Amino acid sequence: MHRRTTLPRFHQLPKTSHLCETDAYASPSPIPCRRLGSMWVPVKHKSSGGRRPKKKVYHRVHELDKVMDLQKKPALILQLKSIIQSQKHQSLLLRDLEKEVGFVQKWNFMAVIEKYPAIFYVGGGNRTPPFVTLAEKAEKVAGEEASAKDLMEPMLVKNLRKLLMLSVDCRVPLENIEFIESELGLPNDFKKSLIPKYPEFFSVKDVNEKDFLHLENWDSSLAVTAREENLADEGISAAYGLGKKVRISKDGNFLGPHAFRMNFPAGFRPNTSYLEQLERWQKMEFPSPYLNARRFDIADPKSRKRVVAVLHELLSLTMQKRMTSAQLEAFHSEYFLPSKLLLCLIKHPGIFYITNKGARSTVFLKEAYDGLNLINKCPLLSFYDKFVELSGRRETNPCNVMHSS
């Protein structure tokens, strides 16, 4: 379960939202807004000689919407597994289930227990109160989680260091790290089990009566983005295309050291003017996300492109390459994100996708998915897949759960 935050969420913005005002990401004149589902989307009208004005619509990516729907059942399975494993005798009295998950959710979990006897075994009767525990095969598979977590630890330490290196002061409030611990793959008790193990990398310090996680030393070898690593794997260096006339393709993709991979939604038909502007944007150099944001003027187009790179890198550091809108907003101060973050994301439909499926609006890094499937999975997600497959069906992307220590 995600921790609550007092920060505003994209889908909770009032009708007088500042998305209708101008900023570095908006046009010079105010942009009217239209409600789309449960999200405000900028709509720009242009004169059409008395005809009905054309509207900008936010094209849905149904596969990514479906990812959020498909995660519900695996989330319950994995959460119940963690609850059972947290008990002293690795079993949970059914009468205590309500204490763990609440009255409403209890019935969802009871349905899961009944539906998946290959995973959950119900025992008791007569004088013994009924209880639930992991079935024999499920318990055997669950034993593989420890090795998956061992494989994860070097990745977690590396990603946590990169997360701090992205911030302007190489420090982030500890509560922000806790807010995205499931997305990063961190264990519940990372403050005790992980941070103290690496004093050469991390320290916790009080700043204005708030605990911050500090980076102890800078490592230039880590100041390379996932985008740059992908380009290097494709053989595209910083000097690629110099002296050559390389045109952008109709799908928005461009082979160059400063380009982002594009994946336009179905139904999105960019015209020639749009592609010409996109080509200039794809070719434009920009500062590294690992350089201090205080050095740059947000009104500079290169700085605005750098913000896109920061968001791209932040999502790349998560296990499933997605975060809720509230989680992104939580890092507003540490990464100098724009005040109108939603508008920034909407302006790049080839890179990011925002869905309102589920309890919270969620931002996806589109290049990380092939239809419903996450392309590259970390050891922990691979373990989750294997455990959920015991239910008799293959789940594409099990939901984040609160990890046991």
Side-chain angles (χ1 to χ4, degrees):
M1 185 179 296
H2 296 287
R3 288 171 172 77
R4 301 186 64 177
T5 176
T6 57
L7 294 166
R9 296 178 181 175
F10 294 155
H11 63 291
Q12 294 175 335
L13 291 172
K15 292 187 178 181
T16 56
S17 167
H18 58 227
L19 290 181
C20 300
E21 301 170 2
T22 59
D23 76 332
Y25 293 93
S27 62
S29 58
I31 299 178
C33 294
R34 183 177 299 277
R35 185 102 182 184
L36 181 60
S38 57
M39 176 168 58
W40 288 100
V41 174
V43 178
K44 189 176 181 180
H45 300 292
K46 61 181 180 180
S47 175
S48 53
R51 292 175 296 171
R52 179 176 293 179
K54 292 184 179 180
K55 296 177 292 185
K56 281 187 177 180
V57 296
Y58 191 69
H59 294 272
R60 292 290 174 193
V61 180
H62 298 294
E63 293 89 350
L64 296 182
D65 285 340
K66 194 173 181 181
V67 167
M68 301 303 294
D69 290 330
L70 289 175
Q71 73 176 6
K72 295 175 183 177
K73 198 70 73 176
L76 291 174
I77 292 173
L78 294 170
Q79 187 177 351
L80 183 55
K81 175 192 75 70
S82 295
I83 292 172
I84 291 172
Q85 290 179 314
S86 68
Q87 304 302 307
K88 185 176 181 180
H89 299 293
Q90 304 284 293
S91 67
L92 176 69
L93 294 177
L94 290 180
R95 68 189 181 197
D96 293 334
L97 184 58
E98 185 176 330
K99 298 177 184 177
E100 296 285 343
V101 300
F103 177 76
V104 176
Q105 276 288 83
K106 175 183 73 173
W107 302 109
N108 293 328
F109 282 97
M110 291 294 288
V112 165
I113 292 170
E114 184 178 359
K115 189 172 183 179
Y116 301 114
I119 302 178
F120 303 109
Y121 169 77
V122 178
N126 296 328
R127 295 185 178 183
T128 305
F131 63 90
V132 61
T133 186
L134 293 180
E136 185 177 350
K137 189 174 181 180
E139 190 173 6
K140 184 178 179 181
V141 174
E144 300 175 18
E145 186 172 10
S147 60
K149 289 182 175 181
D150 288 340
L151 292 173
M152 285 291 294
E153 187 164 311
M155 302 178 196
L156 296 178
V157 172
K158 176 184 175 182
N159 288 348
L160 205 50
R161 293 170 71 190
K162 289 169 75 75
L163 190 76
L164 296 175
M165 289 170 64
L166 283 171
S167 65
V168 290
D169 294 314
C170 292
R171 70 186 188 196
V172 171
L174 203 53
E175 64 184 13
N176 286 13
I177 306 294
E178 293 177 286
F179 191 31
I180 63 168
E181 65 182 29
S182 292
E183 282 64 32
L184 295 175
L186 292 168
N188 286 347
D189 63 346
F190 76 94
K191 292 184 292 184
K192 295 180 179 179
S193 64
L194 188 69
I195 301 302
K197 285 177 66 175
Y198 299 94
E200 69 274 27
F201 298 143
F202 311 115
S203 64
V204 177
K205 298 178 183 177
D206 181 277
V207 179
N208 296 326
E209 298 183 350
K210 181 186 285 189
D211 286 338
F212 278 73
L213 185 64
H214 284 245
L215 182 72
E216 284 300 299
N217 60 74
W218 181 274
D219 187 346
S220 297
S221 68
L222 296 181
V224 180
T225 64
R227 184 194 68 87
E228 292 169 323
E229 289 176 348
N230 291 336
L231 290 175
D233 291 341
E234 295 171 6
I236 300 174
S237 65
Y240 185 92
L242 292 178
K244 299 179 182 179
K245 190 175 178 76
V246 182
R247 297 289 297 179
I248 196 168
S249 63
K250 289 186 178 180
D251 63 4
N253 285 298
F254 173 81
L255 294 178
H258 312 299
F260 286 79
R261 188 171 298 168
M262 295 287 166
N263 182 10
F264 290 136
F268 186 80
R269 301 287 183 266
N271 57 27
T272 302
S273 175
Y274 182 94
L275 289 174
E276 288 174 350
Q277 292 180 39
L278 182 58
E279 180 178 351
R280 290 193 292 271
W281 187 84
Q282 288 277 52
K283 290 180 177 179
M284 182 171 60
E285 296 182 35
F286 62 94
S288 168
Y290 288 99
L291 294 177
N292 196 308
R294 290 195 180 97
R295 297 168 54 181
F296 312 111
D297 179 5
I298 192 60
D300 185 342
K302 293 182 179 180
S303 296
R304 297 203 296 271
K305 187 174 180 180
R306 179 188 173 277
V307 169
V308 174
V310 170
L311 293 169
H312 185 286
E313 183 71 353
L314 187 54
L315 291 171
S316 296
L317 294 177
T318 64
M319 289 200 301
Q320 299 191 77
K321 317 307 177 193
R322 68 182 190 233
M323 294 174 68
T324 68
S325 54
Q327 288 171 329
L328 281 175
E329 284 280 12
F331 291 89
H332 188 279
S333 299
E334 283 67 41
Y335 298 143
F336 278 28
L337 298 179
S339 58
K340 300 172 183 60
L341 185 54
L342 173 61
L343 188 56
C344 174
L345 294 164
I346 287 176
K347 282 173 69 70
H348 299 281
I351 304 173
F352 309 112
Y353 177 64
I354 308 169
T355 179
N356 285 315
K357 291 285 186 178
R360 306 168 182 84
S361 59
T362 301
V363 181
F364 282 83
L365 183 61
K366 295 180 73 174
E367 69 182 55
Y369 284 80
D370 179 13
L372 292 169
N373 298 303
L374 184 64
I375 296 172
N376 296 313
K377 294 187 177 181
C378 65
L380 194 55
L381 286 181
S382 296
F383 162 76
Y384 288 161
D385 277 347
K386 185 173 182 179
F387 190 86
V388 169
E389 283 172 19
L390 294 172
S391 65
R393 60 176 184 172
R394 184 174 182 82
E395 300 291 346
T396 55
N397 287 301
C399 175
N400 290 339
V401 292
M402 297 303 292
H403 309 301
S404 57
S405 57

